[in-house]
Amino acid sequence: MLSSSSSVRLKICRQPGHQLVEPDVNDFVVVLRQNVYWQNIAPVNGRQFTAADVVYDMDRMYGSWRGFTTPSPYASSDVISRAAMNSVTITAPWTIDFHWTTGNPENILETQLDQGQLLRITLLQKLFHCGAILTTGIMPSVTGPFILTDFVDSSSASFVRNTTYWGTDERHPGNKLPYADNVHILIIPQLPTALAALRVGKIDLVENNGIQSANSMKTTNPGIIQVAIPQAAEGMALCNAQAPFNNLQVREACQLAQNLPLITQTYYNNTVSPIPQTLTLSTMGGGWGNPYPNWPADLQAQYAYNPTLAKQLLAQAGFPEWFHYRFAWPIIPPILI
């Protein structure tokens, strides 16, 4: 819920309007959107969402300040980013100052992930004890568009419209969101069962449908609207401190050997972009950073598919044919490489 009504270009949050002002490389000031209210449920009782809520959650997530001694098990940020955080302080009712010992986009991203969990985690922690919630009347309060009214473990969750929700339709600014009065979520573990229900109109939405299944439904059910949503992924990073990747020519060769347009077309079925993007542009919401079309031509060329140049660079680096390198990867949970 980090957001602002000002028009600063430095944006990192998934929600519209979350803005950053950058005084220096290690210090970030976040301005919150005003007139965002908690749902009218105890103990917050419909009060306005303020910087104090964010700071409390950061304390709880990082386990570093004001009475918290251990990080929350729900924290999304990694240990390195948490260790780099010096302080989180309130400088005004809707303004928070984040300060790191080392400022870099990764730290900002990790902080974004934790703050993205602020309201959801409050809900999830209580849902783990959903029986107590429903029998005692202790319901989680959030600032989102819907209010939880019922939860049946491994079965369903029901929500009603939050009439005090702050959001409006970007296409029709005069219309308050959400439009739906009620949402009923069914927990269907088997994807084929969920898709069958979707095809016959028993349910309205299915998430996490794979590319192959989605392509099949374009043929069998062309009337069903499909929207591609970016998902989390695993990746391997080269250790630049170790040979042969401490050689810049080797790293450039590895990049030049990847046919990104072909991978996009065949493996990802054109659901992703083959254009290289920086962390600040892709993961952190855009609005700052230098997009690929603006890169110098020689830098763009380093990310184009060019196996001939890749072989030349490897030869210049002392590998005229090939080099052998072993990647060790923990398969917990199972992943595809």
Side-chain angles (χ1 to χ4, degrees), residues 94-170:
W94 288 276
T95 306
I96 309 105
D97 184 357
F98 296 84
H99 187 80
W100 289 277
T101 54
T102 302
N104 62 59
E106 180 68 20
N107 289 339
I108 303 172
L109 172 63
E110 295 291 345
T111 303
Q112 170 198 352
L113 292 176
D114 272 329
Q115 286 307 311
Q117 303 299 318
L118 171 60
L119 307 182
R120 291 199 297 270
I121 292 306
T122 303
L123 170 66
L124 290 175
Q125 285 177 323
K126 292 183 180 296
L127 286 183
F128 285 130
H129 306 285
C130 57
I133 292 177
L134 301 182
T135 56
T136 63
I138 301 175
M139 298 297 289
S141 177
V142 297
T143 64
F146 293 98
I147 301 173
L148 178 69
T149 58
D150 184 64
F151 179 83
V152 180
D153 191 19
S154 302
S155 177
S156 65
S158 298
F159 301 82
V160 297
R161 181 175 181 266
N162 177 14
T163 58
T164 62
Y165 181 60
W166 59 271
T168 57
D169 191 334
E170 294 181 357

Side-chain angles (χ1 to χ4, degrees), residues 12 33 83 145 205 312:
I12 67 172
R33 181 189 300 274
L205 175 68
Q312 294 175 1

Side-chain angles (χ1 to χ4, degrees), residues 12-318:
I12 67 172
C13 189
R14 297 185 182 90
Q15 298 209 15
H18 177 185
Q19 318 288 342
L20 287 181
V21 181
E22 185 180 10
D24 63 59
V25 71
N26 296 332
D27 193 69
F28 294 84
V29 176
V30 179
V31 180
L32 302 181
R33 181 189 300 274
Q34 296 186 33
N35 298 315
V36 173
Y37 295 89
W38 291 97
Q39 294 167 359
N40 193 18
I41 301 173
V44 285
N45 298 318
R47 68 168 174 79
Q48 192 164 180
F49 181 80
T50 68
D53 296 311
V54 177
V55 171
Y56 175 85
D57 189 65
M58 289 300 301
D59 293 346
R60 182 170 63 93
M61 282 288 149
Y62 280 51
S64 300
W65 311 285
R66 289 168 279 262
F68 293 92
T69 56
T70 57
S72 167
Y74 302 102
S76 299
S77 61
D78 57 36
V79 175
I80 296 176
S81 294
R82 287 200 294 268
M85 178 73 75
N86 261 354
S87 63
V88 182
T89 55
I90 300 172
T91 57
W94 288 276
T95 306
I96 309 105
D97 184 357
F98 296 84
H99 187 80
W100 289 277
T101 54
T102 302
N104 62 59
E106 180 68 20
N107 289 339
I108 303 172
L109 172 63
E110 295 291 345
T111 303
Q112 170 198 352
L113 292 176
D114 272 329
Q115 286 307 311
Q117 303 299 318
L118 171 60
L119 307 182
R120 291 199 297 270
I121 292 306
T122 303
L123 170 66
L124 290 175
Q125 285 177 323
K126 292 183 180 296
L127 286 183
F128 285 130
H129 306 285
C130 57
I133 292 177
L134 301 182
T135 56
T136 63
I138 301 175
M139 298 297 289
S141 177
V142 297
T143 64
F146 293 98
I147 301 173
L148 178 69
T149 58
D150 184 64
F151 179 83
V152 180
D153 191 19
S154 302
S155 177
S156 65
S158 298
F159 301 82
V160 297
R161 181 175 181 266
N162 177 14
T163 58
T164 62
Y165 181 60
W166 59 271
T168 57
D169 191 334
E170 294 181 357
R171 301 163 299 178
H172 307 283
N175 294 359
K176 289 195 62 177
L177 296 177
Y179 288 120
D181 292 323
N182 300 275
V183 174
H184 187 62
I185 299 175
L186 296 177
I187 300 173
I188 306 176
Q190 294 79 23
L191 180 60
T193 303
L195 294 178
L198 178 67
R199 286 188 174 98
V200 299
K202 295 291 186 180
I203 57 178
D204 301 311
L205 175 68
V206 171
E207 293 184 326
N208 300 322
N209 191 13
I211 294 176
Q212 289 75 19
S213 177
N215 286 338
S216 174
M217 292 191 70
K218 288 180 180 179
T219 302
T220 59
N221 300 84
I224 294 179
I225 299 174
Q226 298 193 27
V227 178
I229 301 176
Q231 300 291 315
E234 299 285 350
M236 293 182 292
L238 307 179
C239 183
N240 297 346
Q242 296 182 7
F245 302 115
N246 57 354
N247 188 310
L248 178 60
Q249 291 176 316
V250 171
R251 300 200 299 272
E252 291 181 354
C254 289
Q255 183 64 58
L256 292 167
Q258 300 180 58
N259 191 338
L260 298 182
L262 181 62
I263 294 172
T264 297
Q265 180 182 3
T266 58
Y267 185 79
Y268 291 104
N269 285 285
N270 294 314
T271 58
V272 299
S273 171
I275 298 177
Q277 297 187 55
T278 63
L279 181 68
T280 54
L281 284 172
S282 58
T283 308
M284 297 168 63
W288 61 314
N290 195 15
Y292 175 79
N294 296 343
W295 293 5
D298 58 341
L299 181 58
Q300 289 189 25
Q302 294 181 21
Y303 290 83
Y305 178 56
N306 193 334
T308 301
L309 179 56
K311 293 178 180 179
Q312 294 175 1
L313 291 174
L314 284 179
Q316 295 172 14

